[in-house]
PDB file of all heavy atoms in Angstrom:
ATOM      1  N   THR A   1      -4.953   3.123 -10.757  1.00 98.00           N
ATOM      2  CA  THR A   1      -4.308   1.881 -11.176  1.00 98.00           C
ATOM      3  C   THR A   1      -3.508   2.122 -12.481  1.00 98.00           C
ATOM      4  O   THR A   1      -3.256   1.160 -13.230  1.00 98.00           O
ATOM      5  CB  THR A   1      -5.311   0.794 -11.414  1.00 98.00           C
ATOM      6  OG1 THR A   1      -6.329   1.149 -12.376  1.00 98.00           O
ATOM      7  CG2 THR A   1      -5.989   0.402 -10.072  1.00 98.00           C
ATOM      8  N   ALA A   2      -3.125   3.354 -12.752  1.00 97.00           N
ATOM      9  CA  ALA A   2      -2.456   3.686 -13.899  1.00 97.00           C
ATOM     10  C   ALA A   2      -0.922   3.417 -13.945  1.00 97.00           C
ATOM     11  O   ALA A   2      -0.253   3.375 -14.936  1.00 97.00           O
ATOM     12  CB  ALA A   2      -2.618   5.134 -14.273  1.00 97.00           C
ATOM     13  N   THR A   3      -0.457   3.017 -12.717  1.00 96.00           N
ATOM     14  CA  THR A   3       1.012   2.731 -12.566  1.00 96.00           C
ATOM     15  C   THR A   3       1.018   1.316 -11.850  1.00 96.00           C
ATOM     16  O   THR A   3       0.010   0.720 -11.602  1.00 96.00           O
ATOM     17  CB  THR A   3       1.684   3.739 -11.696  1.00 96.00           C
ATOM     18  OG1 THR A   3       1.243   3.596 -10.376  1.00 96.00           O
ATOM     19  CG2 THR A   3       1.415   5.130 -12.254  1.00 96.00           C
ATOM     20  N   PRO A   4       2.223   0.788 -11.594  1.00 96.00           N
ATOM     21  CA  PRO A   4       2.249  -0.530 -10.814  1.00 96.00           C
ATOM     22  C   PRO A   4       1.633  -0.415  -9.404  1.00 96.00           C
ATOM     23  O   PRO A   4       1.295  -1.457  -8.810  1.00 96.00           O
ATOM     24  CB  PRO A   4       3.751  -0.751 -10.717  1.00 96.00           C
ATOM     25  CG  PRO A   4       4.320  -0.173 -12.027  1.00 96.00           C
ATOM     26  CD  PRO A   4       3.616   1.142 -12.107  1.00 96.00           C
ATOM     27  N   ALA A   5       1.427   0.754  -8.912  1.00 97.00           N
ATOM     28  CA  ALA A   5       0.830   0.955  -7.618  1.00 97.00           C
ATOM     29  C   ALA A   5      -0.659   0.817  -7.676  1.00 97.00           C
ATOM     30  O   ALA A   5      -1.370   1.543  -8.372  1.00 97.00           O
ATOM     31  CB  ALA A   5       1.259   2.329  -6.981  1.00 97.00           C
ATOM     32  N   VAL A   6      -1.238  -0.106  -6.902  1.00 97.00           N
ATOM     33  CA  VAL A   6      -2.725  -0.157  -6.720  1.00 97.00           C
ATOM     34  C   VAL A   6      -3.060   0.502  -5.410  1.00 97.00           C
ATOM     35  O   VAL A   6      -2.724   0.048  -4.371  1.00 97.00           O
ATOM     36  CB  VAL A   6      -3.167  -1.680  -6.593  1.00 97.00           C
ATOM     37  CG1 VAL A   6      -4.683  -1.812  -6.511  1.00 97.00           C
ATOM     38  CG2 VAL A   6      -2.628  -2.442  -7.909  1.00 97.00           C
ATOM     39  N   THR A   7      -3.610   1.658  -5.593  1.00 98.00           N
ATOM     40  CA  THR A   7      -3.658   2.613  -4.439  1.00 98.00           C
ATOM     41  C   THR A   7      -5.115   3.216  -4.251  1.00 98.00           C
ATOM     42  O   THR A   7      -5.744   3.534  -5.211  1.00 98.00           O
ATOM     43  CB  THR A   7      -2.571   3.739  -4.581  1.00 98.00           C
ATOM     44  OG1 THR A   7      -2.675   4.640  -3.463  1.00 98.00           O
ATOM     45  CG2 THR A   7      -2.753   4.437  -5.856  1.00 98.00           C
ATOM     46  N   VAL A   8      -5.523   3.215  -3.002  1.00 98.00           N
ATOM     47  CA  VAL A   8      -6.919   3.666  -2.584  1.00 98.00           C
ATOM     48  C   VAL A   8      -6.754   4.432  -1.342  1.00 98.00           C
ATOM     49  O   VAL A   8      -5.931   4.270  -0.474  1.00 98.00           O
ATOM     50  CB  VAL A   8      -7.785   2.427  -2.363  1.00 98.00           C
ATOM     51  CG1 VAL A   8      -9.178   2.839  -1.916  1.00 98.00           C
ATOM     52  CG2 VAL A   8      -7.835   1.539  -3.596  1.00 98.00           C
ATOM     53  N   ALA A   9      -7.637   5.524  -1.248  1.00 98.00           N
ATOM     54  CA  ALA A   9      -7.699   6.325  -0.052  1.00 98.00           C
ATOM     55  C   ALA A   9      -9.039   6.931   0.094  1.00 98.00           C
ATOM     56  O   ALA A   9      -9.812   7.084  -0.773  1.00 98.00           O
ATOM     57  CB  ALA A   9      -6.617   7.560  -0.156  1.00 98.00           C
ATOM     58  N   LEU A  10      -9.339   7.313   1.385  1.00 98.00           N
ATOM     59  CA  LEU A  10     -10.526   8.019   1.781  1.00 98.00           C
ATOM     60  C   LEU A  10     -10.077   9.377   2.257  1.00 98.00           C
ATOM     61  O   LEU A  10      -9.182   9.531   3.114  1.00 98.00           O
ATOM     62  CB  LEU A  10     -11.283   7.327   2.831  1.00 98.00           C
ATOM     63  CG  LEU A  10     -12.073   6.038   2.401  1.00 98.00           C
ATOM     64  CD1 LEU A  10     -12.613   5.263   3.583  1.00 98.00           C
ATOM     65  CD2 LEU A  10     -13.269   6.457   1.434  1.00 98.00           C
ATOM     66  N   HIS A  11     -10.777  10.429   1.963  1.00 98.00           N
ATOM     67  CA  HIS A  11     -10.455  11.800   2.303  1.00 98.00           C
ATOM     68  C   HIS A  11     -11.838  12.498   2.768  1.00 98.00           C
ATOM     69  O   HIS A  11     -12.747  12.461   1.969  1.00 98.00           O
ATOM     70  CB  HIS A  11      -9.853  12.579   1.192  1.00 98.00           C
ATOM     71  CG  HIS A  11      -9.124  13.809   1.669  1.00 98.00           C
ATOM     72  ND1 HIS A  11      -9.803  14.980   2.112  1.00 98.00           N
ATOM     73  CD2 HIS A  11      -7.817  14.123   1.685  1.00 98.00           C
ATOM     74  CE1 HIS A  11      -8.955  15.886   2.325  1.00 98.00           C
ATOM     75  NE2 HIS A  11      -7.673  15.398   2.202  1.00 98.00           N
ATOM     76  N   ASP A  12     -11.827  13.064   3.926  1.00 97.00           N
ATOM     77  CA  ASP A  12     -13.039  13.684   4.450  1.00 97.00           C
ATOM     78  C   ASP A  12     -13.197  15.228   4.180  1.00 97.00           C
ATOM     79  O   ASP A  12     -14.050  15.798   4.749  1.00 97.00           O
ATOM     80  CB  ASP A  12     -13.186  13.421   5.974  1.00 97.00           C
ATOM     81  CG  ASP A  12     -12.171  14.154   6.866  1.00 97.00           C
ATOM     82  OD1 ASP A  12     -11.269  14.823   6.227  1.00 97.00           O
ATOM     83  OD2 ASP A  12     -12.108  13.905   8.007  1.00 97.00           O
ATOM     84  N   GLY A  13     -12.339  15.687   3.236  1.00 96.00           N
ATOM     85  CA  GLY A  13     -12.345  17.084   2.955  1.00 96.00           C
ATOM     86  C   GLY A  13     -11.369  17.859   3.703  1.00 96.00           C
ATOM     87  O   GLY A  13     -11.033  18.993   3.309  1.00 96.00           O
ATOM     88  N   GLU A  14     -10.863  17.354   4.796  1.00 96.00           N
ATOM     89  CA  GLU A  14      -9.785  17.957   5.607  1.00 96.00           C
ATOM     90  C   GLU A  14      -8.524  17.225   5.704  1.00 96.00           C
ATOM     91  O   GLU A  14      -7.433  17.712   5.771  1.00 96.00           O
ATOM     92  CB  GLU A  14     -10.335  18.274   6.969  1.00 96.00           C
ATOM     93  CG  GLU A  14     -11.500  19.258   7.022  1.00 96.00           C
ATOM     94  CD  GLU A  14     -11.849  19.737   8.428  1.00 96.00           C
ATOM     95  OE1 GLU A  14     -11.228  19.278   9.361  1.00 96.00           O
ATOM     96  OE2 GLU A  14     -12.806  20.452   8.534  1.00 96.00           O
ATOM     97  N   ALA A  15      -8.678  15.922   5.637  1.00 97.00           N
ATOM     98  CA  ALA A  15      -7.515  15.005   5.856  1.00 97.00           C
ATOM     99  C   ALA A  15      -7.793  13.607   5.310  1.00 97.00           C
ATOM    100  O   ALA A  15      -8.953  13.186   5.144  1.00 97.00           O
ATOM    101  CB  ALA A  15      -7.060  14.972   7.311  1.00 97.00           C
ATOM    102  N   VAL A  16      -6.708  12.824   5.078  1.00 98.00           N
ATOM    103  CA  VAL A  16      -6.909  11.467   4.628  1.00 98.00           C
ATOM    104  C   VAL A  16      -7.259  10.674   5.849  1.00 98.00           C
ATOM    105  O   VAL A  16      -6.616  10.808   6.845  1.00 98.00           O
ATOM    106  CB  VAL A  16      -5.549  10.904   4.000  1.00 98.00           C
ATOM    107  CG1 VAL A  16      -5.640   9.469   3.761  1.00 98.00           C
ATOM    108  CG2 VAL A  16      -5.275  11.691   2.699  1.00 98.00           C
ATOM    109  N   VAL A  17      -8.335   9.936   5.785  1.00 98.00           N
ATOM    110  CA  VAL A  17      -8.713   9.166   7.032  1.00 98.00           C
ATOM    111  C   VAL A  17      -8.305   7.612   6.872  1.00 98.00           C
ATOM    112  O   VAL A  17      -8.184   6.947   7.863  1.00 98.00           O
ATOM    113  CB  VAL A  17     -10.251   9.235   7.172  1.00 98.00           C
ATOM    114  CG1 VAL A  17     -10.655  10.656   7.532  1.00 98.00           C
ATOM    115  CG2 VAL A  17     -10.991   8.691   5.987  1.00 98.00           C
ATOM    116  N   ALA A  18      -7.948   7.168   5.665  1.00 98.00           N
ATOM    117  CA  ALA A  18      -7.425   5.758   5.557  1.00 98.00           C
ATOM    118  C   ALA A  18      -6.874   5.670   4.134  1.00 98.00           C
ATOM    119  O   ALA A  18      -7.331   6.277   3.284  1.00 98.00           O
ATOM    120  CB  ALA A  18      -8.496   4.840   5.782  1.00 98.00           C
ATOM    121  N   SER A  19      -5.829   4.876   4.020  1.00 98.00           N
ATOM    122  CA  SER A  19      -5.193   4.584   2.687  1.00 98.00           C
ATOM    123  C   SER A  19      -4.601   3.259   2.520  1.00 98.00           C
ATOM    124  O   SER A  19      -4.231   2.613   3.654  1.00 98.00           O
ATOM    125  CB  SER A  19      -4.141   5.714   2.384  1.00 98.00           C
ATOM    126  OG  SER A  19      -3.103   5.712   3.272  1.00 98.00           O
ATOM    127  N   SER A  20      -4.429   2.788   1.350  1.00 98.00           N
ATOM    128  CA  SER A  20      -3.796   1.497   1.092  1.00 98.00           C
ATOM    129  C   SER A  20      -3.002   1.635  -0.232  1.00 98.00           C
ATOM    130  O   SER A  20      -3.621   2.130  -1.178  1.00 98.00           O
ATOM    131  CB  SER A  20      -4.786   0.389   1.092  1.00 98.00           C
ATOM    132  OG  SER A  20      -4.242  -0.823   0.607  1.00 98.00           O
ATOM    133  N   SER A  21      -1.832   1.086  -0.281  1.00 97.00           N
ATOM    134  CA  SER A  21      -1.054   1.049  -1.547  1.00 97.00           C
ATOM    135  C   SER A  21      -0.224  -0.146  -1.646  1.00 97.00           C
ATOM    136  O   SER A  21       0.483  -0.552  -0.623  1.00 97.00           O
ATOM    137  CB  SER A  21      -0.089   2.303  -1.718  1.00 97.00           C
ATOM    138  OG  SER A  21      -0.809   3.515  -1.848  1.00 97.00           O
ATOM    139  N   GLN A  22      -0.308  -0.874  -2.768  1.00 97.00           N
ATOM    140  CA  GLN A  22       0.445  -2.075  -3.039  1.00 97.00           C
ATOM    141  C   GLN A  22       1.068  -1.963  -4.436  1.00 97.00           C
ATOM    142  O   GLN A  22       0.297  -1.641  -5.362  1.00 97.00           O
ATOM    143  CB  GLN A  22      -0.401  -3.319  -2.915  1.00 97.00           C
ATOM    144  CG  GLN A  22      -0.964  -3.606  -1.535  1.00 97.00           C
ATOM    145  CD  GLN A  22      -2.000  -4.735  -1.634  1.00 97.00           C
ATOM    146  OE1 GLN A  22      -3.192  -4.473  -1.828  1.00 97.00           O
ATOM    147  NE2 GLN A  22      -1.524  -5.988  -1.349  1.00 97.00           N
ATOM    148  N   VAL A  23       2.262  -2.254  -4.543  1.00 96.00           N
ATOM    149  CA  VAL A  23       2.965  -2.200  -5.780  1.00 96.00           C
ATOM    150  C   VAL A  23       3.047  -3.506  -6.418  1.00 96.00           C
ATOM    151  O   VAL A  23       3.755  -4.433  -6.022  1.00 96.00           O
ATOM    152  CB  VAL A  23       4.383  -1.485  -5.699  1.00 96.00           C
ATOM    153  CG1 VAL A  23       5.075  -1.490  -7.064  1.00 96.00           C
ATOM    154  CG2 VAL A  23       4.261  -0.205  -5.131  1.00 96.00           C
ATOM    155  N   ASP A  24       2.202  -3.735  -7.512  1.00 95.00           N
ATOM    156  CA  ASP A  24       2.202  -5.049  -8.243  1.00 95.00           C
ATOM    157  C   ASP A  24       1.609  -4.836  -9.571  1.00 95.00           C
ATOM    158  O   ASP A  24       0.457  -4.644  -9.778  1.00 95.00           O
ATOM    159  CB  ASP A  24       1.324  -6.072  -7.470  1.00 95.00           C
ATOM    160  CG  ASP A  24       1.505  -7.499  -8.033  1.00 95.00           C
ATOM    161  OD1 ASP A  24       1.647  -7.646  -9.212  1.00 95.00           O
ATOM    162  OD2 ASP A  24       1.412  -8.459  -7.187  1.00 95.00           O
ATOM    163  N   ALA A  25       2.520  -4.752 -10.621  1.00 90.00           N
ATOM    164  CA  ALA A  25       2.059  -4.379 -11.918  1.00 90.00           C
ATOM    165  C   ALA A  25       1.120  -5.288 -12.615  1.00 90.00           C
ATOM    166  O   ALA A  25       0.476  -5.007 -13.603  1.00 90.00           O
ATOM    167  CB  ALA A  25       3.265  -4.232 -12.851  1.00 90.00           C
ATOM    168  N   ARG A  26       0.971  -6.545 -12.103  1.00 91.00           N
ATOM    169  CA  ARG A  26       0.208  -7.600 -12.721  1.00 91.00           C
ATOM    170  C   ARG A  26      -1.139  -7.976 -12.051  1.00 91.00           C
ATOM    171  O   ARG A  26      -1.846  -8.873 -12.470  1.00 91.00           O
ATOM    172  CB  ARG A  26       1.067  -8.880 -12.953  1.00 91.00           C
ATOM    173  CG  ARG A  26       2.284  -8.606 -13.781  1.00 91.00           C
ATOM    174  CD  ARG A  26       3.040  -9.860 -13.971  1.00 91.00           C
ATOM    175  NE  ARG A  26       4.208  -9.673 -14.813  1.00 91.00           N
ATOM    176  CZ  ARG A  26       4.280  -9.677 -16.123  1.00 91.00           C
ATOM    177  NH1 ARG A  26       3.148  -9.831 -16.788  1.00 91.00           N
ATOM    178  NH2 ARG A  26       5.415  -9.447 -16.760  1.00 91.00           N
TER     179      ARG A  26
END
């Protein structure tokens, strides 16, 4: 959350299995 992007992901050690990103600085 260090930038306007609120971003989250899950990684199983080999690949990203799910992710979410929303750009909202406030």
Side-chain angles (χ1 to χ4, degrees):
T1 58
T3 72
V6 181
T7 179
V8 177
L10 286 170
H11 196 291
D12 66 3
E14 296 186 1
V16 174
V17 295
S19 64
S20 171
S21 291
Q22 295 170 273
V23 178
D24 192 326
R26 299 183 180 276

